[in-house]
Amino acid sequence: MVYPYQIQSFADYKKAYQQSVDNPEKFWASVADHFTWRKKWDKVLDWNFTEPKSEWFKGAKLNITENCLDRHLENNGNTPAIIWEPNDPNEKQRILTYSKLHEKVCQFAQVLLNNGVKKGDRVCIYMGMIPELTIAVLGCARIGAIHSVIFGGFSAQSIADRVFDAQSEFIITCDGAYRGAKDIPLKNVIDDALIGNKTVKKVIVYTRTRTPISMLKGRDIWWEDEMRHVEEMGIHSLPAVEMGAADPLFILYTSGSTGKPKGVVHACAGYMVYTNYTFVNVFNYQPGQIHFCTADIGWITGHSYIVYGPLSAGATSVIFEGIPTWPNAGRFWEIVDKYKVNILYTAPTAIRSLMGFGLWPLQGKNLSSLKVLGTVGEPINEEAWNWYNEQVGKNKCPIVDTWWQTETGGCLISNIAGITPSKPGWATLPLPGVQPVLVDDKGNEITEMEDGVYKGNLCIKFPWPSLLTTTYGDHERCRTNYFATYPNLYFTGDGALKDEEGFYRITGRVDDVLNVSGHRIGTAEVENAINMHTGVIESAVVGYPHDVKGQGIYAFVIYNNKEGDEALIRKDIVQTVSRVIGPIAKPDKIQFVNGLPKTRSGKIMRRILRKIAEGETENLGDITTLLDPGVVEEIKKGYL
Ligand code: WTA
């Protein structure tokens, strides 16, 4: 057995779970023993949820890249670490073995050093899905720089905010990125983000699309030139910088219920151990298997299950540059066939969108290599689950429904492929080390069933190794956001059900966060963006059920001049949101209203707007506390 901590049976799971609850320190130490440490820990866990603090493997020294690269060289140097499938199926794929990836990461780490990047510096990465993105991420980790990857769908303004918040002096980008039929001008967006910026010292630019771009003397440098220089220095390897267990590995910004995204921070040791543990177990990964996670590395799923989890396990990870529907809706199946993919991990929104094309895209594709299917990012509806199971898995692949969050670092509630039972639409059982609890609005544990299930707000009562350590630059924000709603509990922001067998079903966010195509977007963020449009007086944003995206964005807008062309004004508003946040946050529906349902204290009653956006006009609940109940009638009439 290659991974001594790999769960082999349901009985084994129960045993591991029990041990992880009875003696978490002993349990996680026995997993962590199988990693490469420069120095082992003095104490496995030091925690309290009031500060909050959860320090794992205290006193240990390590570098995660030694675990993701160096330790595989001796026996698996020639194993492909990355198989890269380009956007254009006619372009040649690239395969980087562990030896090659090690060399490239070391060389790029040297490039970073040559340009003055030091341990602890924050480096923003804004690139397409190419191997160099992984090289950039691991290059940072090699020298202890903290990476902050920004998804390519974010605007210049969003980048500027993130660069400022993290005080990043370095940026790594590409001239452009290919996504389906589009070329995305990444460097132009970076240039816009840096107008007026005085703190960014270097922008390293990789050539992907050879789009004409501006290159500023003294600030902008070409990746290729820098790498050539290192090559000429004769550098093919570089010792990794020794990191403390609690040193930050990366920052990843995510939306919450306030207007400003938070920089979630993950620390080196705990994140490494937990992403590896969950990768190996949830997908029941067997050495030699090909793992294809379709997420973007700009999100946590890509960080944990394209880069760190698979590579720390010596796995082969497929990186796909393009989109599932280009040049046609058979692209995923073509990739599965081409590389004999064994594990496919994707989002319900992708499944629903592909379902819409019927069965022809699957015809003639050999999917028999598939062993395990996975989903993440949002609740999966039964219809999509069944389609995935029947048409893709041919009824022989277990589907793991993995529930987790940017803040949790890795999967917390999920079935284990082929080992613990699955139940369509249910994430099922907590993984070892995870102690969920459902509470009511006052924080009391739910002890009574309602319609055969327990219903409540999902919290976790004990830390696991990849729990976020802070929100960058503002620890108090971390406390108030996650640990202050209910004393001594980590609050997830999700609602959930639990059945008599202890299986969990996640029902969705209970805070003001939307989940659009598996992307987290705060309603307050979208409102702020809409309100920046000159004609907008006020707005309120809620989610509504959307066939493909899961949730769509519905905006109620008070506009000061109703004379103009409404369709055009709507487009202007959409454009404003796209500029301020990025195309991913564009509202799907904009309804102009004269007033919003507010209480006498001025609070918008979103509950009512949510119902209307869902198409519900009857049971709107108690509206007598509204300042002007009349607005509700008007809003109902204007429903789109
Ligand atoms: C939702 C993505 C139902 C949930 C890894 C969570 C899910 C948010 C599932 C986190 C699932 C994620 N079933 N809902 N299997 N997985 N979610 O931070 O609402 O982008 O709070 O992390 O996605 O989104 P994030």
Side-chain angles (χ1 to χ4, degrees):
M1 206 186 353
V2 178
Y3 310 106
Y5 41 85
Q6 195 167 39
I7 294 165
Q8 305 293 328
S9 64
F10 197 16
D12 220 15
Y13 158 77
K14 287 186 192 149
K15 201 168 120 209
Y17 189 80
Q18 201 53 47
Q19 286 170 345
S20 78
V21 173
D22 293 344
N23 194 339
E25 295 199 35
K26 187 166 165 220
F27 177 80
W28 287 112
S30 74
V31 174
D33 266 336
H34 302 281
F35 290 73
T36 300
W37 303 91
R38 294 274 182 94
K39 172 184 174 287
K40 282 215 178 157
W41 49 91
D42 305 317
K43 187 167 173 32
V44 178
L45 174 63
D46 184 9
W47 76 287
N48 69 66
F49 275 173
T50 41
E51 272 177 65
K53 158 172 99 171
S54 60
E55 260 187 72
W56 286 90
F57 310 110
K58 210 170 169 169
K61 302 280 183 201
L62 75 154
N63 185 293
I64 197 167
T65 68
E66 290 187 337
N67 287 275
C68 289
L69 301 169
D70 304 59
R71 70 164 165 165
H72 307 310
L73 294 183
E74 198 180 333
N75 297 324
N76 288 312
N78 293 326
T79 301
I82 292 174
I83 297 176
W84 176 69
E85 169 73 5
N87 181 57
D88 179 351
N90 297 316
E91 188 180 339
K92 200 169 163 354
Q93 78 269 19
R94 287 168 60 192
I95 294 177
L96 280 83
T97 62
Y98 274 95
S99 302
K100 196 69 193 165
L101 184 61
H102 175 264
E103 182 188 35
K104 292 282 167 208
V105 167
C106 288
Q107 289 178 328
F108 188 70
Q110 182 67 52
V111 167
L112 294 172
L113 291 176
N114 290 353
N115 283 285
V117 184
K118 298 180 302 299
K119 178 178 174 181
D121 285 348
R122 281 79 50 216
V123 178
C124 277
I125 304 179
Y126 188 64
M127 298 174 93
M129 285 285 283
I130 52 176
E132 282 65 26
L133 169 50
T134 306
I135 293 168
V137 161
L138 294 175
C140 288
R142 189 77 176 173
I143 62 165
I146 303 167
H147 57 78
S148 163
V149 183
I150 304 174
F151 175 64
F154 281 113
S155 68
Q157 182 63 54
S158 298
I159 297 168
D161 292 346
R162 286 157 173 75
V163 167
F164 177 77
D165 189 77
Q167 294 294 301
S168 305
E169 293 175 334
F170 304 93
I171 294 183
I172 307 168
T173 189
C174 303
D175 49 355
Y178 295 121
R179 270 177 70 78
K182 289 193 204 138
D183 290 4
I184 321 257
L186 298 179
K187 175 63 165 61
N188 282 352
V189 181
I190 291 289
D191 288 339
D192 286 349
L194 297 187
I195 291 173
N197 177 295
K198 301 254 185 318
T199 51
V200 169
K201 291 181 185 154
K202 286 277 156 68
V203 179
I204 304 176
V205 186
Y206 179 81
T207 312
R208 172 67 186 125
T209 54
R210 202 52 198 98
T211 317
I213 55 170
S214 87
M215 290 292 284
L216 289 191
K217 194 181 285 167
R219 188 194 72 181
D220 300 350
I221 52 179
W222 293 107
W223 171 298
E224 294 79 0
D225 291 348
E226 296 296 307
M227 286 294 262
R228 198 174 315 114
H229 182 54
V230 167
E231 187 80 41
E232 282 162 11
M233 287 163 70
I235 288 172
H236 298 279
S237 74
L238 183 82
V241 167
E242 187 169 283
M243 304 294 286
D247 284 342
L249 172 64
F250 65 85
I251 307 173
L252 190 57
Y253 284 84
T254 190
S255 296
S257 44
T258 55
K260 194 172 147 243
K262 303 175 285 268
V264 168
V265 176
H266 282 288
C268 294
Y271 177 81
M272 169 180 82
V273 170
Y274 195 76
T275 50
N276 175 289
Y277 180 82
T278 49
F279 171 72
V280 161
N281 280 299
V282 169
F283 302 104
N284 193 12
Y285 184 80
Q286 306 297 318
Q289 285 188 333
I290 313 290
H291 174 77
F292 177 22
C293 167
T294 72
D296 193 287
I297 294 177
W299 305 109
I300 191 68
T301 307
H303 280 61
S304 301
Y305 299 112
I306 296 179
V307 182
Y308 288 111
L311 297 183
S312 66
T316 298
S317 187
V318 175
I319 298 183
F320 174 41
E321 186 182 33
I323 57 171
T325 49
W326 194 84
N328 63 58
R331 196 65 197 279
F332 276 2
W333 323 128
E334 219 172 272
I335 296 173
V336 169
D337 190 345
K338 184 169 172 187
Y339 300 114
K340 305 282 164 265
V341 168
N342 305 110
I343 303 166
L344 176 67
Y345 189 31
T346 193
T349 185
I351 299 168
R352 286 192 299 267
S353 124
L354 294 175
M355 266 169 72
F357 289 87
L359 294 179
W360 67 262
L362 286 149
Q363 276 156 15
K365 313 284 171 15
N366 183 350
L367 305 185
S368 62
S369 56
L370 286 173
K371 293 267 184 292
V372 172
L373 303 176
T375 73
V376 59
E378 41 172 330
I380 182 162
N381 49 312
E382 220 157 304
E383 199 192 350
W385 195 98
N386 287 330
W387 190 86
Y388 200 29
N389 182 39
E390 286 158 24
Q391 306 303 337
V392 181
K394 316 290 183 200
N395 295 309
K396 67 174 182 58
C397 301
I399 298 179
V400 289
D401 180 347
T402 65
W403 170 82
W404 57 296
Q405 312 179 295
T406 305
E407 295 84 346
T408 72
C411 309
L412 293 195
I413 303 181
S414 173
N415 48 319
I416 297 179
I419 286 174
T420 65
S422 66
K423 181 170 173 179
W426 292 66
T428 75
L429 296 167
L431 293 169
V434 179
Q435 302 185 33
V437 53
L438 296 180
V439 300
D440 64 19
D441 286 338
K442 296 199 177 64
N444 301 314
E445 187 162 347
I446 307 282
T447 50
E448 302 275 317
M449 283 194 167
E450 212 183 296
D451 309 323
V453 287
Y454 302 96
K455 283 185 201 166
N457 301 321
L458 179 60
C459 295
I460 317 283
K461 61 182 172 202
F462 195 86
W464 61 98
S466 64
L467 171 60
L468 86 162
T469 54
T470 189
T471 45
Y472 192 80
D474 192 351
H475 194 63
E476 177 57 13
R477 199 157 174 223
C478 174
R479 191 186 72 80
T480 49
N481 260 285
Y482 307 109
F483 300 91
T485 315
Y486 308 113
N488 291 317
L489 294 175
Y490 165 79
F491 177 42
T492 65
D494 280 319
L497 313 177
K498 185 170 110 169
D499 70 9
E500 70 284 356
E501 287 175 285
F503 285 17
Y504 287 85
R505 178 191 182 103
I506 313 302
T507 49
R509 303 289 303 198
V510 294
D511 53 6
D512 290 322
V513 172
L514 306 179
N515 193 330
V516 181
S517 301
H519 300 155
R520 259 167 85 167
I521 300 172
T523 53
E525 252 179 283
V526 183
E527 287 164 6
N528 288 349
I530 293 175
N531 296 349
M532 282 173 80
H533 183 74
T534 48
V536 171
I537 296 170
E538 198 179 2
S539 65
V541 164
V542 296
Y544 72 96
H546 188 288
D547 285 348
V548 174
K549 298 180 179 185
Q551 268 189 315
I553 302 181
Y554 197 122
F556 298 89
V557 173
I558 308 179
Y559 198 77
N560 72 2
N561 174 7
K562 286 182 235 61
E563 306 298 299
D565 176 344
E566 278 202 3
L568 207 52
I569 298 172
R570 281 203 181 90
K571 283 189 187 154
D572 288 345
I573 292 176
V574 168
Q575 188 64 19
T576 309
V577 174
S578 187
R579 274 272 165 202
V580 177
I581 306 176
I584 54 169
K586 286 180 185 174
D588 299 276
K589 293 186 180 185
I590 297 175
Q591 179 183 341
F592 294 109
V593 297
N594 288 316
L596 292 167
K598 287 191 179 170
T599 60
R600 286 188 183 83
S601 59
K603 214 171 148 291
I604 295 172
M605 288 187 78
R606 288 160 184 288
R607 171 176 64 76
I608 296 173
L609 294 176
R610 244 179 256 131
K611 285 241 164 115
I612 296 176
E614 282 164 15
E616 169 84 62
T617 47
E618 295 307 313
N619 308 309
L620 295 181
D622 182 14
I623 59 169
T624 54
T625 54
L626 287 179
L627 186 62
D628 174 13
V631 297
V632 175
E633 277 313 306
E634 183 230 312
I635 297 176
K636 276 192 336 202
K637 280 201 204 98
Y639 170 71
L640 299 171

